[in-house]
Structure formats: C-alpha cells, structure tokens
Amino acid sequence: MAQTVRLTADAKTAFLDLGRGRTGIVHSIGDCFLTRIVTAADVSVSSSEETNTILMRLKDFTWKGGRFRFANAGDLQALLNALEARQSDAASEAA
C-alpha cells in the first residue's frame, strides 16, 4: 500500500512511496496508464533548468522515462530524498 502519493503539476504522473525502497509510477498516456515499480537501481535522476522539474531515465526498454514537473519544490525534494536514501541503502547493502 502506498504511504505517500505525489502528483506532477499536470496530474499526468503519480509517484507512490511503496516502502522497502520501492517507488510506484503511474503515468497516463491518452486513456491508458503505464505503471512501473522501480528502485534506485532502476532509475537515473537529473535536474532540469525548469523550476521544480526532474529528468528521469529508466532502465526499462519499454519506457525510458521523461521530464516531470511538480507544483511545488517540497514534492520534488521529497522524491529526490527518497531516491537518494534508497541509492545509499543499495550501496551499503552491496558493500
């Protein structure tokens, strides 16, 4: 069950904190939804020149990710913090 849900500013994508290092992504494409459950190892996140926007690349060959803009910096930062914490956890487990 999702602990927290963060919507992008256009409400076309939702990021769900699923716990245990997992993030759910629900992205609308027309009248369909693309869904993924990812971990930090599955994504690469970089900042954008646009305010409250990130670029996310997935290792999934069926969907490469995209540009996601949030209505406020708090939602963006919370998602980035969650992914950074998971990346740190994954690095610690690998060591």
Side-chain angles (χ1 to χ4, degrees):
M1 176 172 280
Q3 297 173 355
T4 306
V5 177
R6 293 182 172 80
L7 288 174
T8 55
D10 61 6
K12 290 186 177 184
T13 308
F15 292 89
L16 298 82
D17 181 357
L18 301 175
R20 296 186 299 150
R22 300 174 308 145
T23 298
I25 304 172
V26 180
H27 179 70
S28 68
I29 301 174
D31 63 348
C32 299
F33 293 95
L34 182 100
T35 61
R36 296 290 182 271
I37 295 176
V38 299
T39 65
D42 302 320
V43 299
S44 172
V45 178
S46 59
S47 60
S48 170
E49 293 179 9
E50 296 177 47
T51 304
N52 299 332
T53 303
I54 59 169
L55 305 173
M56 183 178 288
R57 300 285 298 169
L58 281 75
K59 292 182 179 178
D60 183 340
F61 73 93
T62 62
W63 184 48
K64 293 295 182 184
R67 177 183 307 261
F68 303 99
R69 186 174 64 82
F70 294 85
N72 63 68
D75 283 344
L76 171 64
Q77 193 58 53
L79 179 62
L80 291 174
N81 289 346
L83 289 173
E84 286 176 9
R86 292 177 191 143
Q87 288 174 349
S88 298
D89 291 345
S92 297
E93 289 175 10

